[in-house]
Amino acid sequence: MTDQPRQNLTGLDLIAEIARLKRERNAVILAHYYQRPELQDLADFVGDSLELSRKAAATDADVIAFCGVKFMAETAKILAPEKIVVLPDMEAGCSLEDSCPPDDFAAFRALHPDAIALTYINCSAEVKALSDVIVTSSSAETILAQIPREQKIIFGPDRHLGGYLNRKFDREMILWPGVCIVHEAFSETELLKLKAQHPGAPVAAHPECPPHIIDHADYVGSTSGILNFAKTMGGDTLIVATEPHIIHQMQKAVPAKHFIGAPGADGNCNCNICPYMALNTVEKLYLALRDLEPRIEMDEELRLAAKRSLDKMLELASGTVGKGDLGRA
Ligand code: 13P
Ligand code: SF4
């Protein structure tokens, strides 16, 4: 287990306090792979967006402490409205969500009345309510395969994931122009230098990466897909082109292998830490469990409208088990 900042706030043993509050509140801690290692180690379950949605929908806990970003905690609330859902820092947003204001998305939809809206889960509840089917990176391929080729589709907010799907499956989805600032920051020049330093080391990339990074990848997939590739690949060194905190789980699963974060333009991978995910800390998780705040609240009409497209995802993704998923470009 990672060293934990034990004495904080008022000199409390935060790890023991979090365990006590979890019991008292009948709470479950869910964490995404991009969370700080100490939060991943405190979680009852660590997973990708689809797995976390499924866990939220299935839990019998009364409280979900969601260590991730706001759209993920909102998804938990949409699927489990009777639970109290707390997010340690309510400012933990997402650049993809920010790129897609609901009014602009509604106008985009209106421009393409004969298209359905297939929408990446990294968006607001309002945009989910304006969509027909939600996808995650681990379910997008399975879901797209079930939509007839002649059906016109608008895809948002991630133009890189949409573009990757268009290229791989020869589709012509109309793309919303959003990007993830974290995956956008990888440098092709620095990646090629790193590959030259580690001849034969494969590259695993998240489909939120731009095409000039995807083109050098041996494996493209969701966070859980990349983790699974790390466990099952033949060699002993992997270059990881996604948010580097996932390397914590790789190192735990296969300590003998060597995992290197793909670099940004400065040759250092620190610019690829998600600034939103990094807002959550052990201290804020403790406070969220103690105070049951900050809490996700949602208008019931909006929740039901957003739930329709999420339910469609869960129905169409039923064959997706969170491994393999997108596979090679
Ligand atoms: P995954 O669904 O692959 O975990 O991706 C979530 C995300 O926000 C990637 O930036
Ligand atoms: Fe959003 Fe990118 Fe952070 Fe994922 S890594 S939460 S897409 S900003």
Side-chain angles (χ1 to χ4, degrees), residues 212-258:
H212 58 260
I213 298 296
I214 297 281
D215 284 348
H216 301 291
D218 300 277
Y219 175 82
V220 181
S222 71
T223 50
S224 53
I226 291 173
L227 178 59
N228 190 52
F229 181 79
K231 291 177 188 167
T232 54
M233 69 176 199
D236 62 359
T237 303
L238 176 67
I239 298 173
V240 181
T242 193
E243 214 272 4
H245 283 122
I246 193 173
I247 291 175
H248 179 59
Q249 291 298 325
M250 295 175 178
Q251 219 73 78
K252 279 173 78 164
V254 267
K257 289 185 187 174
H258 184 211

mmCIF file of all heavy atoms in Angstrom, residues 212-258:
data_model
loop_
_atom_site.group_PDB
_atom_site.id
_atom_site.type_symbol
_atom_site.label_atom_id
_atom_site.label_comp_id
_atom_site.label_asym_id
_atom_site.label_seq_id
_atom_site.Cartn_x
_atom_site.Cartn_y
_atom_site.Cartn_z
ATOM 1 N N HIS A 212 -1.973 11.588 -34.400
ATOM 2 C CA HIS A 212 -0.515 11.473 -34.527
ATOM 3 C C HIS A 212 0.097 10.673 -33.366
ATOM 4 O O HIS A 212 1.246 10.246 -33.459
ATOM 5 C CB HIS A 212 0.153 12.849 -34.681
ATOM 6 C CG HIS A 212 -0.111 13.800 -33.565
ATOM 7 N ND1 HIS A 212 -1.047 14.810 -33.639
ATOM 8 C CD2 HIS A 212 0.423 13.902 -32.319
ATOM 9 C CE1 HIS A 212 -1.059 15.492 -32.500
ATOM 10 N NE2 HIS A 212 -0.186 14.950 -31.680
ATOM 11 N N ILE A 213 -0.646 10.456 -32.303
ATOM 12 C CA ILE A 213 -0.184 9.566 -31.214
ATOM 13 C C ILE A 213 -0.742 8.153 -31.457
ATOM 14 O O ILE A 213 -0.006 7.161 -31.387
ATOM 15 C CB ILE A 213 -0.638 10.104 -29.833
ATOM 16 C CG1 ILE A 213 -0.027 11.490 -29.561
ATOM 17 C CG2 ILE A 213 -0.299 9.110 -28.708
ATOM 18 C CD1 ILE A 213 1.491 11.521 -29.447
ATOM 19 N N ILE A 214 -2.033 8.075 -31.797
ATOM 20 C CA ILE A 214 -2.673 6.778 -32.070
ATOM 21 C C ILE A 214 -1.896 6.016 -33.161
ATOM 22 O O ILE A 214 -1.748 4.788 -33.089
ATOM 23 C CB ILE A 214 -4.150 6.995 -32.527
ATOM 24 C CG1 ILE A 214 -4.970 7.643 -31.413
ATOM 25 C CG2 ILE A 214 -4.779 5.700 -33.035
ATOM 26 C CD1 ILE A 214 -5.447 6.750 -30.321
ATOM 27 N N ASP A 215 -1.397 6.752 -34.160
ATOM 28 C CA ASP A 215 -0.686 6.110 -35.276
ATOM 29 C C ASP A 215 0.528 5.320 -34.800
ATOM 30 O O ASP A 215 0.995 4.420 -35.497
ATOM 31 C CB ASP A 215 -0.215 7.169 -36.289
ATOM 32 C CG ASP A 215 -1.359 7.670 -37.145
ATOM 33 O OD1 ASP A 215 -2.447 7.054 -37.110
ATOM 34 O OD2 ASP A 215 -1.165 8.695 -37.837
ATOM 35 N N HIS A 216 1.070 5.641 -33.629
ATOM 36 C CA HIS A 216 2.255 4.933 -33.121
ATOM 37 C C HIS A 216 1.890 3.876 -32.078
ATOM 38 O O HIS A 216 2.785 3.282 -31.464
ATOM 39 C CB HIS A 216 3.245 5.931 -32.506
ATOM 40 C CG HIS A 216 3.711 6.966 -33.483
ATOM 41 N ND1 HIS A 216 4.537 6.652 -34.540
ATOM 42 C CD2 HIS A 216 3.428 8.283 -33.591
ATOM 43 C CE1 HIS A 216 4.754 7.750 -35.259
ATOM 44 N NE2 HIS A 216 4.095 8.750 -34.697
ATOM 45 N N ALA A 217 0.577 3.662 -31.875
ATOM 46 C CA ALA A 217 0.165 2.759 -30.792
ATOM 47 C C ALA A 217 0.048 1.309 -31.284
ATOM 48 O O ALA A 217 -0.417 1.046 -32.390
ATOM 49 C CB ALA A 217 -1.170 3.222 -30.216
ATOM 50 N N ASP A 218 0.457 0.392 -30.423
ATOM 51 C CA ASP A 218 0.271 -1.035 -30.696
ATOM 52 C C ASP A 218 -1.066 -1.497 -30.150
ATOM 53 O O ASP A 218 -1.603 -2.511 -30.583
ATOM 54 C CB ASP A 218 1.406 -1.828 -30.028
ATOM 55 C CG ASP A 218 2.753 -1.399 -30.566
ATOM 56 O OD1 ASP A 218 3.137 -1.902 -31.618
ATOM 57 O OD2 ASP A 218 3.399 -0.512 -29.950
ATOM 58 N N TYR A 219 -1.579 -0.779 -29.164
ATOM 59 C CA TYR A 219 -2.874 -1.100 -28.584
ATOM 60 C C TYR A 219 -3.598 0.218 -28.311
ATOM 61 O O TYR A 219 -3.006 1.168 -27.788
ATOM 62 C CB TYR A 219 -2.719 -1.895 -27.263
ATOM 63 C CG TYR A 219 -4.061 -2.125 -26.610
ATOM 64 C CD1 TYR A 219 -4.880 -3.175 -27.027
ATOM 65 C CD2 TYR A 219 -4.539 -1.259 -25.633
ATOM 66 C CE1 TYR A 219 -6.148 -3.341 -26.476
ATOM 67 C CE2 TYR A 219 -5.794 -1.432 -25.068
ATOM 68 C CZ TYR A 219 -6.593 -2.474 -25.500
ATOM 69 O OH TYR A 219 -7.844 -2.634 -24.967
ATOM 70 N N VAL A 220 -4.889 0.275 -28.650
ATOM 71 C CA VAL A 220 -5.715 1.457 -28.362
ATOM 72 C C VAL A 220 -6.940 0.980 -27.594
ATOM 73 O O VAL A 220 -7.639 0.063 -28.045
ATOM 74 C CB VAL A 220 -6.169 2.158 -29.665
ATOM 75 C CG1 VAL A 220 -7.016 3.394 -29.336
ATOM 76 C CG2 VAL A 220 -4.974 2.549 -30.515
ATOM 77 N N GLY A 221 -7.205 1.555 -26.437
ATOM 78 C CA GLY A 221 -8.383 1.117 -25.692
ATOM 79 C C GLY A 221 -8.620 1.968 -24.460
ATOM 80 O O GLY A 221 -7.864 2.910 -24.158
ATOM 81 N N SER A 222 -9.671 1.620 -23.754
ATOM 82 C CA SER A 222 -10.060 2.322 -22.527
ATOM 83 C C SER A 222 -8.998 2.113 -21.443
ATOM 84 O O SER A 222 -8.064 1.307 -21.614
ATOM 85 C CB SER A 222 -11.387 1.760 -22.025
ATOM 86 O OG SER A 222 -11.169 0.452 -21.532
ATOM 87 N N THR A 223 -9.188 2.766 -20.322
ATOM 88 C CA THR A 223 -8.221 2.584 -19.233
ATOM 89 C C THR A 223 -8.156 1.117 -18.806
ATOM 90 O O THR A 223 -7.060 0.577 -18.628
ATOM 91 C CB THR A 223 -8.592 3.474 -18.032
ATOM 92 O OG1 THR A 223 -9.972 3.296 -17.713
ATOM 93 C CG2 THR A 223 -8.315 4.938 -18.332
ATOM 94 N N SER A 224 -9.297 0.451 -18.679
ATOM 95 C CA SER A 224 -9.242 -0.962 -18.255
ATOM 96 C C SER A 224 -8.656 -1.829 -19.359
ATOM 97 O O SER A 224 -7.971 -2.821 -19.082
ATOM 98 C CB SER A 224 -10.610 -1.473 -17.809
ATOM 99 O OG SER A 224 -11.550 -1.218 -18.805
ATOM 100 N N GLY A 225 -8.913 -1.444 -20.623
ATOM 101 C CA GLY A 225 -8.317 -2.183 -21.736
ATOM 102 C C GLY A 225 -6.801 -2.056 -21.721
ATOM 103 O O GLY A 225 -6.064 -3.034 -21.925
ATOM 104 N N ILE A 226 -6.302 -0.839 -21.467
ATOM 105 C CA ILE A 226 -4.851 -0.606 -21.415
ATOM 106 C C ILE A 226 -4.230 -1.385 -20.248
ATOM 107 O O ILE A 226 -3.168 -1.993 -20.373
ATOM 108 C CB ILE A 226 -4.557 0.914 -21.301
ATOM 109 C CG1 ILE A 226 -4.942 1.611 -22.607
ATOM 110 C CG2 ILE A 226 -3.097 1.166 -20.969
ATOM 111 C CD1 ILE A 226 -4.846 3.134 -22.561
ATOM 112 N N LEU A 227 -4.933 -1.389 -19.119
ATOM 113 C CA LEU A 227 -4.429 -2.131 -17.951
ATOM 114 C C LEU A 227 -4.354 -3.625 -18.277
ATOM 115 O O LEU A 227 -3.364 -4.302 -17.949
ATOM 116 C CB LEU A 227 -5.343 -1.873 -16.748
ATOM 117 C CG LEU A 227 -5.005 -2.593 -15.453
ATOM 118 C CD1 LEU A 227 -3.604 -2.237 -14.955
ATOM 119 C CD2 LEU A 227 -6.037 -2.242 -14.365
ATOM 120 N N ASN A 228 -5.376 -4.128 -18.934
ATOM 121 C CA ASN A 228 -5.375 -5.535 -19.309
ATOM 122 C C ASN A 228 -4.243 -5.844 -20.292
ATOM 123 O O ASN A 228 -3.566 -6.873 -20.184
ATOM 124 C CB ASN A 228 -6.734 -5.895 -19.935
ATOM 125 C CG ASN A 228 -6.881 -7.378 -20.124
ATOM 126 O OD1 ASN A 228 -6.689 -8.149 -19.202
ATOM 127 N ND2 ASN A 228 -7.198 -7.797 -21.351
ATOM 128 N N PHE A 229 -3.991 -4.915 -21.242
ATOM 129 C CA PHE A 229 -2.882 -5.099 -22.186
ATOM 130 C C PHE A 229 -1.562 -5.163 -21.422
ATOM 131 O O PHE A 229 -0.695 -5.996 -21.717
ATOM 132 C CB PHE A 229 -2.875 -3.952 -23.209
ATOM 133 C CG PHE A 229 -1.787 -4.067 -24.237
ATOM 134 C CD1 PHE A 229 -1.907 -4.931 -25.318
ATOM 135 C CD2 PHE A 229 -0.625 -3.313 -24.125
ATOM 136 C CE1 PHE A 229 -0.894 -5.049 -26.265
ATOM 137 C CE2 PHE A 229 0.401 -3.416 -25.066
ATOM 138 C CZ PHE A 229 0.261 -4.288 -26.138
ATOM 139 N N ALA A 230 -1.398 -4.275 -20.422
ATOM 140 C CA ALA A 230 -0.163 -4.254 -19.628
ATOM 141 C C ALA A 230 0.070 -5.603 -18.946
ATOM 142 O O ALA A 230 1.201 -6.080 -18.840
ATOM 143 C CB ALA A 230 -0.241 -3.146 -18.584
ATOM 144 N N LYS A 231 -1.025 -6.224 -18.498
ATOM 145 C CA LYS A 231 -0.887 -7.507 -17.788
ATOM 146 C C LYS A 231 -0.558 -8.647 -18.743
ATOM 147 O O LYS A 231 0.161 -9.567 -18.386
ATOM 148 C CB LYS A 231 -2.203 -7.844 -17.067
ATOM 149 C CG LYS A 231 -2.535 -6.937 -15.893
ATOM 150 C CD LYS A 231 -3.892 -7.334 -15.338
ATOM 151 C CE LYS A 231 -4.395 -6.362 -14.303
ATOM 152 N NZ LYS A 231 -5.813 -6.558 -13.971
ATOM 153 N N THR A 232 -1.108 -8.594 -19.958
ATOM 154 C CA THR A 232 -1.028 -9.758 -20.841
ATOM 155 C C THR A 232 0.029 -9.645 -21.938
ATOM 156 O O THR A 232 0.343 -10.634 -22.587
ATOM 157 C CB THR A 232 -2.401 -10.003 -21.516
ATOM 158 O OG1 THR A 232 -2.812 -8.804 -22.168
ATOM 159 C CG2 THR A 232 -3.460 -10.397 -20.494
ATOM 160 N N MET A 233 0.607 -8.465 -22.177
ATOM 161 C CA MET A 233 1.581 -8.302 -23.274
ATOM 162 C C MET A 233 2.830 -9.140 -22.999
ATOM 163 O O MET A 233 3.149 -9.460 -21.850
ATOM 164 C CB MET A 233 1.962 -6.826 -23.411
ATOM 165 C CG MET A 233 2.766 -6.339 -22.238
ATOM 166 S SD MET A 233 3.300 -4.655 -22.445
ATOM 167 C CE MET A 233 4.647 -4.611 -21.253
ATOM 168 N N GLY A 234 3.538 -9.433 -24.075
ATOM 169 C CA GLY A 234 4.695 -10.320 -23.947
ATOM 170 C C GLY A 234 5.921 -9.688 -23.321
ATOM 171 O O GLY A 234 6.585 -10.289 -22.492
ATOM 172 N N GLY A 235 6.266 -8.438 -23.703
ATOM 173 C CA GLY A 235 7.535 -7.843 -23.280
ATOM 174 C C GLY A 235 7.534 -7.389 -21.832
ATOM 175 O O GLY A 235 6.577 -7.637 -21.086
ATOM 176 N N ASP A 236 8.617 -6.691 -21.442
ATOM 177 C CA ASP A 236 8.690 -6.251 -20.047
ATOM 178 C C ASP A 236 8.619 -4.725 -19.906
ATOM 179 O O ASP A 236 8.672 -4.211 -18.791
ATOM 180 C CB ASP A 236 9.952 -6.801 -19.379
ATOM 181 C CG ASP A 236 11.219 -6.291 -20.036
ATOM 182 O OD1 ASP A 236 11.106 -5.517 -21.021
ATOM 183 O OD2 ASP A 236 12.311 -6.662 -19.588
ATOM 184 N N THR A 237 8.488 -3.994 -21.034
ATOM 185 C CA THR A 237 8.419 -2.529 -20.963
ATOM 186 C C THR A 237 7.254 -2.034 -21.812
ATOM 187 O O THR A 237 7.068 -2.497 -22.940
ATOM 188 C CB THR A 237 9.736 -1.900 -21.489
ATOM 189 O OG1 THR A 237 10.826 -2.423 -20.715
ATOM 190 C CG2 THR A 237 9.725 -0.384 -21.365
ATOM 191 N N LEU A 238 6.474 -1.110 -21.251
ATOM 192 C CA LEU A 238 5.318 -0.558 -21.968
ATOM 193 C C LEU A 238 5.351 0.964 -21.875
ATOM 194 O O LEU A 238 5.566 1.525 -20.797
ATOM 195 C CB LEU A 238 4.007 -1.087 -21.356
ATOM 196 C CG LEU A 238 2.705 -0.528 -21.948
ATOM 197 C CD1 LEU A 238 2.510 -0.976 -23.405
ATOM 198 C CD2 LEU A 238 1.490 -0.959 -21.115
ATOM 199 N N ILE A 239 5.110 1.616 -23.008
ATOM 200 C CA ILE A 239 4.953 3.081 -23.025
ATOM 201 C C ILE A 239 3.454 3.365 -22.962
ATOM 202 O O ILE A 239 2.676 2.838 -23.766
ATOM 203 C CB ILE A 239 5.600 3.679 -24.292
ATOM 204 C CG1 ILE A 239 7.110 3.372 -24.292
ATOM 205 C CG2 ILE A 239 5.339 5.187 -24.367
ATOM 206 C CD1 ILE A 239 7.846 3.756 -25.563
ATOM 207 N N VAL A 240 3.057 4.176 -21.991
ATOM 208 C CA VAL A 240 1.638 4.352 -21.665
ATOM 209 C C VAL A 240 1.179 5.761 -22.056
ATOM 210 O O VAL A 240 1.564 6.745 -21.411
ATOM 211 C CB VAL A 240 1.419 4.132 -20.144
ATOM 212 C CG1 VAL A 240 -0.053 4.291 -19.785
ATOM 213 C CG2 VAL A 240 1.920 2.746 -19.724
ATOM 214 N N ALA A 241 0.352 5.852 -23.105
ATOM 215 C CA ALA A 241 -0.125 7.166 -23.564
ATOM 216 C C ALA A 241 -1.545 7.409 -23.049
ATOM 217 O O ALA A 241 -2.521 7.436 -23.801
ATOM 218 C CB ALA A 241 -0.053 7.259 -25.082
ATOM 219 N N THR A 242 -1.619 7.564 -21.738
ATOM 220 C CA THR A 242 -2.843 8.039 -21.103
ATOM 221 C C THR A 242 -2.434 8.654 -19.771
ATOM 222 O O THR A 242 -1.239 8.764 -19.475
ATOM 223 C CB THR A 242 -3.902 6.914 -20.956
ATOM 224 O OG1 THR A 242 -5.160 7.508 -20.609
ATOM 225 C CG2 THR A 242 -3.519 5.882 -19.904
ATOM 226 N N GLU A 243 -3.409 9.074 -18.982
ATOM 227 C CA GLU A 243 -3.082 9.745 -17.723
ATOM 228 C C GLU A 243 -2.213 8.820 -16.860
ATOM 229 O O GLU A 243 -2.570 7.661 -16.638
ATOM 230 C CB GLU A 243 -4.405 10.079 -17.005
ATOM 231 C CG GLU A 243 -4.372 11.358 -16.220
ATOM 232 C CD GLU A 243 -3.889 11.228 -14.800
ATOM 233 O OE1 GLU A 243 -3.480 10.110 -14.401
ATOM 234 O OE2 GLU A 243 -3.895 12.232 -14.075
ATOM 235 N N PRO A 244 -1.050 9.311 -16.392
ATOM 236 C CA PRO A 244 -0.060 8.401 -15.796
ATOM 237 C C PRO A 244 -0.436 7.764 -14.457
ATOM 238 O O PRO A 244 0.220 6.802 -14.046
ATOM 239 C CB PRO A 244 1.184 9.291 -15.646
ATOM 240 C CG PRO A 244 0.686 10.693 -15.671
ATOM 241 C CD PRO A 244 -0.551 10.695 -16.514
ATOM 242 N N HIS A 245 -1.483 8.242 -13.780
ATOM 243 C CA HIS A 245 -1.811 7.601 -12.501
ATOM 244 C C HIS A 245 -2.277 6.164 -12.672
ATOM 245 O O HIS A 245 -2.267 5.387 -11.708
ATOM 246 C CB HIS A 245 -2.880 8.424 -11.750
ATOM 247 C CG HIS A 245 -2.302 9.655 -11.107
ATOM 248 N ND1 HIS A 245 -2.752 10.912 -11.385
ATOM 249 C CD2 HIS A 245 -1.297 9.802 -10.218
ATOM 250 C CE1 HIS A 245 -2.048 11.801 -10.678
ATOM 251 N NE2 HIS A 245 -1.158 11.140 -9.968
ATOM 252 N N ILE A 246 -2.661 5.774 -13.886
ATOM 253 C CA ILE A 246 -3.052 4.372 -14.113
ATOM 254 C C ILE A 246 -1.843 3.438 -13.917
ATOM 255 O O ILE A 246 -2.013 2.248 -13.634
ATOM 256 C CB ILE A 246 -3.660 4.189 -15.529
ATOM 257 C CG1 ILE A 246 -4.353 2.817 -15.624
ATOM 258 C CG2 ILE A 246 -2.635 4.371 -16.632
ATOM 259 C CD1 ILE A 246 -5.128 2.581 -16.897
ATOM 260 N N ILE A 247 -0.641 3.992 -14.046
ATOM 261 C CA ILE A 247 0.563 3.160 -13.899
ATOM 262 C C ILE A 247 0.624 2.547 -12.496
ATOM 263 O O ILE A 247 1.179 1.461 -12.305
ATOM 264 C CB ILE A 247 1.830 3.999 -14.251
ATOM 265 C CG1 ILE A 247 1.816 4.301 -15.767
ATOM 266 C CG2 ILE A 247 3.119 3.286 -13.848
ATOM 267 C CD1 ILE A 247 2.930 5.204 -16.247
ATOM 268 N N HIS A 248 0.005 3.191 -11.543
ATOM 269 C CA HIS A 248 -0.042 2.643 -10.173
ATOM 270 C C HIS A 248 -0.655 1.234 -10.170
ATOM 271 O O HIS A 248 -0.129 0.317 -9.535
ATOM 272 C CB HIS A 248 -0.856 3.584 -9.287
ATOM 273 C CG HIS A 248 -1.008 3.122 -7.878
ATOM 274 N ND1 HIS A 248 0.078 2.896 -7.044
ATOM 275 C CD2 HIS A 248 -2.112 2.816 -7.145
ATOM 276 C CE1 HIS A 248 -0.363 2.482 -5.864
ATOM 277 N NE2 HIS A 248 -1.685 2.415 -5.903
ATOM 278 N N GLN A 249 -1.778 1.075 -10.887
ATOM 279 C CA GLN A 249 -2.429 -0.250 -10.933
ATOM 280 C C GLN A 249 -1.588 -1.251 -11.728
ATOM 281 O O GLN A 249 -1.571 -2.442 -11.409
ATOM 282 C CB GLN A 249 -3.824 -0.159 -11.571
ATOM 283 C CG GLN A 249 -4.843 0.568 -10.732
ATOM 284 C CD GLN A 249 -5.111 -0.108 -9.393
ATOM 285 O OE1 GLN A 249 -5.099 -1.331 -9.275
ATOM 286 N NE2 GLN A 249 -5.344 0.684 -8.369
ATOM 287 N N MET A 250 -0.912 -0.771 -12.764
ATOM 288 C CA MET A 250 -0.057 -1.666 -13.568
ATOM 289 C C MET A 250 1.081 -2.194 -12.710
ATOM 290 O O MET A 250 1.371 -3.386 -12.696
ATOM 291 C CB MET A 250 0.521 -0.907 -14.770
ATOM 292 C CG MET A 250 -0.524 -0.462 -15.746
ATOM 293 S SD MET A 250 0.213 0.537 -17.053
ATOM 294 C CE MET A 250 -1.244 0.840 -18.045
ATOM 295 N N GLN A 251 1.694 -1.266 -11.975
ATOM 296 C CA GLN A 251 2.830 -1.642 -11.126
ATOM 297 C C GLN A 251 2.399 -2.633 -10.047
ATOM 298 O O GLN A 251 3.140 -3.561 -9.718
ATOM 299 C CB GLN A 251 3.385 -0.365 -10.487
ATOM 300 C CG GLN A 251 4.880 -0.312 -10.404
ATOM 301 C CD GLN A 251 5.540 -0.068 -11.758
ATOM 302 O OE1 GLN A 251 5.569 1.045 -12.233
ATOM 303 N NE2 GLN A 251 6.089 -1.121 -12.351
ATOM 304 N N LYS A 252 1.182 -2.448 -9.523
ATOM 305 C CA LYS A 252 0.679 -3.380 -8.501
ATOM 306 C C LYS A 252 0.405 -4.756 -9.108
ATOM 307 O O LYS A 252 0.663 -5.785 -8.488
ATOM 308 C CB LYS A 252 -0.633 -2.832 -7.895
ATOM 309 C CG LYS A 252 -0.404 -1.780 -6.833
ATOM 310 C CD LYS A 252 -1.684 -1.134 -6.370
ATOM 311 C CE LYS A 252 -2.467 -1.976 -5.400
ATOM 312 N NZ LYS A 252 -3.493 -1.194 -4.673
ATOM 313 N N ALA A 253 -0.143 -4.756 -10.324
ATOM 314 C CA ALA A 253 -0.541 -6.026 -10.946
ATOM 315 C C ALA A 253 0.669 -6.802 -11.448
ATOM 316 O O ALA A 253 0.717 -8.035 -11.320
ATOM 317 C CB ALA A 253 -1.509 -5.753 -12.095
ATOM 318 N N VAL A 254 1.627 -6.096 -12.051
ATOM 319 C CA VAL A 254 2.810 -6.774 -12.612
ATOM 320 C C VAL A 254 4.072 -5.999 -12.228
ATOM 321 O O VAL A 254 4.643 -5.277 -13.038
ATOM 322 C CB VAL A 254 2.698 -6.959 -14.156
ATOM 323 C CG1 VAL A 254 2.111 -8.299 -14.526
ATOM 324 C CG2 VAL A 254 1.923 -5.853 -14.827
ATOM 325 N N PRO A 255 4.520 -6.171 -10.975
ATOM 326 C CA PRO A 255 5.644 -5.369 -10.478
ATOM 327 C C PRO A 255 6.945 -5.578 -11.254
ATOM 328 O O PRO A 255 7.802 -4.688 -11.274
ATOM 329 C CB PRO A 255 5.818 -5.850 -9.026
ATOM 330 C CG PRO A 255 4.636 -6.694 -8.697
ATOM 331 C CD PRO A 255 3.960 -7.079 -9.970
ATOM 332 N N ALA A 256 7.078 -6.715 -11.924
ATOM 333 C CA ALA A 256 8.343 -6.985 -12.619
ATOM 334 C C ALA A 256 8.442 -6.213 -13.931
ATOM 335 O O ALA A 256 9.537 -6.073 -14.489
ATOM 336 C CB ALA A 256 8.466 -8.486 -12.899
ATOM 337 N N LYS A 257 7.318 -5.696 -14.427
ATOM 338 C CA LYS A 257 7.370 -4.976 -15.705
ATOM 339 C C LYS A 257 7.654 -3.489 -15.473
ATOM 340 O O LYS A 257 7.468 -2.964 -14.382
ATOM 341 C CB LYS A 257 6.049 -5.155 -16.472
ATOM 342 C CG LYS A 257 5.867 -6.567 -17.018
ATOM 343 C CD LYS A 257 4.613 -6.672 -17.882
ATOM 344 C CE LYS A 257 4.359 -8.122 -18.276
ATOM 345 N NZ LYS A 257 3.082 -8.290 -18.984
ATOM 346 N N HIS A 258 8.079 -2.823 -16.555
ATOM 347 C CA HIS A 258 8.494 -1.425 -16.486
ATOM 348 C C HIS A 258 7.507 -0.591 -17.309
ATOM 349 O O HIS A 258 7.311 -0.871 -18.494
ATOM 350 C CB HIS A 258 9.921 -1.340 -17.058
ATOM 351 C CG HIS A 258 10.530 0.012 -16.962
ATOM 352 N ND1 HIS A 258 11.432 0.495 -17.879
ATOM 353 C CD2 HIS A 258 10.359 1.001 -16.056
ATOM 354 C CE1 HIS A 258 11.783 1.723 -17.542
ATOM 355 N NE2 HIS A 258 11.153 2.045 -16.440
#
